[in-house]
Amino acid sequence: MCQKWCYFVDLFGINQPFLPLGKEKFHKSQHWGYCNKIAMLVAEDKPGIGGEPLHGQKLQPKYSVFPRGVGSDAPSWVAFDKQVLSFDAYFDEEVPEKNQELYRIRHCKIYFYLEDDTIQVVEPQVKNSGIPQGTIVRRHRIPLPPPNEDQFYTVDYFNINTEVIFYARRYKIVDCDQFTKHFLRKLGVRLNPPAYHPEDPYTRDRQKIADSMKPLRPYERFDTLRQFLEYDGHVLRFYCMWDDTESTFGDPRELILHYFLADDTIEIKEVIPVNSGRDAVPLFLNRKKLPKYAPAGLYQPGAITDRTVLNVFGGLVGNKGRYILDNRKTGTVHQEFYKDSDLTIGAVINVWGRRVKICDCDEFTKEYYVTKYGIKDFTPIPFKAPPPPEIEKKFPPYTGFGSEEDSLCSCMSLLPQPPQKDFKKFMEKDRKGLESNLLRFLAKFITDNPIDKDRQFIISYFLSDDTISVFETPERNTGILGGKFLERSRIKKPGQELFKSEISDYFKAQDLFVGAKVCFHGHNFLLVDADEYAFNYMEKHADEFPMANISLILNKLKAIGEPSSREIKQIFAATDPQHTKVIEYNPFRNLMVNITGGKLSEHEIMTIGRYYSVQNEFEMDINFLLAVAQEQLKKNSFENFGQLSALIIDSFFFFLAGLRVDKTLFGDPDGKEQVDYKKFVNGLNWRENPVPTFQTIKVPIKYEDDWSGQPPSLPVKRIKYLPLIEDVFGTKE
């Protein structure tokens, strides 16, 4: 019971005036006694009533007590966190078992941690010492030597040129760092002068032996690894000129100088013009350090060496000599080499007797000199002669044999090559599935001949190679055979000279539109219509076809009708007396022609009509739909209609993905109720409810290959004119 009570009292730090961290064991001077059978503390430092010391009693501080105002009023472990006092010390150690040394001086560091008065002793490691070094005393609170082993070391026991004893080992403190000096002065400690720092005799003898073992030939080490690792791959480039006009048959020579920052070497290449008659040598100057030579001339071979060899005896002792290396480097020739600081724009360097002038440099070199030397002026010096005027190539006129491109290729090279075709355009604009990339127009002759007036032609323009073919639709009882009218080929525009040097201008896709007049080999055609694919393609690529660009057309219409916008609105309102907000296409077309005065082409008017047309809902016959569905189910040999209502076959809905099925097909006419799936499945049952086989399935005109030139089955019928007026003239009345 007494032991537990002692531990409890000690745990809460009773009779400890300053206990910032942890608990301490009771010292030997403290013991427990009994008074009236009550355990009580009996010791020299027993406090009085209320914990106050008795008269004449001095309590030994168990932790460092810092004066008020040093640091802060916070606890020590907060105010002095990570603050350590560092002292330089040494201790001597006897070596009785060796004759080479009687004692040894071991230098160490003493660290005093202010936060908890712990001490650590560390000895720096010495190479090849053979002694376990490092931490000698681990960090903890160290008690004072006897007879005060009940107390611990505090900051008051440390000063320069004093001794401390840690576990019977005496440490001599010789110096400390600046932080420690400043801290001790703030505490009011008078610092002693630094003490003598003795040297270990055995270590000194070992160092003499190591120095004596150095080779007699003092090889010098040139450390260039750092420069190589830092600047490897960094090369400065300068554009230079060597004026060799003073020599016979000399001329200015253009050079490129490379300065390698990794090893300060220089490499020079010569820029040899085409057809200059000079040999294409690899390098004008091989990569090496470029020396700065004095006017006296070049040095003889062997005059410049890294080491000098001396003959000590000469020929005095027989024919034998004594050769050693000159450590003092007497008679050494010091040679200077070009550095990066010598290479600036406008500077002249000596390249083995040739005066080379630096005229310009690249961007990396400019950035390097701005960063390192602060140079900002990089005005280049013109050194290149102005290029001779380029001789215009004149080709002979076309002879009439072969195509113009083929004849031109025979003039481009000594060995004629066939003309290159635009293969990329061919691959992009060639037919791909339903994308035919073929524009077809309906055309008529521009003539007064009554026989030729009614002849109709289909003009096909192939986007893959810009070729045109003309096909005449056959008409019965006309006396004219239809068929191929013009072979597929590129067609020249009329009015061009036949035999000329330039390539002729051919018809392009932008030249063909509804209302255009074209002349193919003397035949004048008027384009009166186009198929649906041509209209859709032009509107999809409106940036290439201005006649199908609705934005350009509206801007053009706005510029034409802006002065009389009020009258135009009244004309549109008069055309629609019933206020249906729509106009038939033919009156709309005549109205646009009158408003614009014929400044809009027929294709532009059709583009406006297509853009603002009333879209009719697509209607499909239910019998036609069931016939198509039953035909597909027959091909797939599907007969399990009992489970069709619960499981819909993916292939069937893949076929119906592009069709619109309303509730009115298999529900009530109003479409308010749900679809009768039972009726729908019975309609698909080709076994019990067969539908007569349909004859043909008409494909939409835009994907039809054999277009007869007839108007589309669903032409533009009605135009919504109010959105057109708002887009052109605004909503203002």
Side-chain angles (χ1 to χ4, degrees), residues 88-105:
D88 297 332
Y90 73 91
F91 64 93
D92 54 353
E93 183 181 28
E94 294 184 358
V95 186
E97 65 274 5
K98 292 184 66 176
N99 296 329
Q100 292 83 359
E101 53 179 339
L102 300 178
Y103 66 94
R104 182 179 299 147
I105 302 297

Side-chain angles (χ1 to χ4, degrees), residues 49-87:
I49 300 175
E52 298 292 337
L54 301 176
H55 181 70
Q57 184 181 17
K58 294 183 179 180
L59 301 179
Q60 296 293 337
K62 298 186 173 49
Y63 286 88
S64 298
V65 179
F66 302 102
R68 188 175 184 82
V70 178
S72 63
D73 294 337
S76 301
W77 53 274
V78 175
F80 301 106
D81 184 26
K82 299 181 181 179
Q83 296 187 13
V84 183
L85 304 183
S86 176
F87 299 93

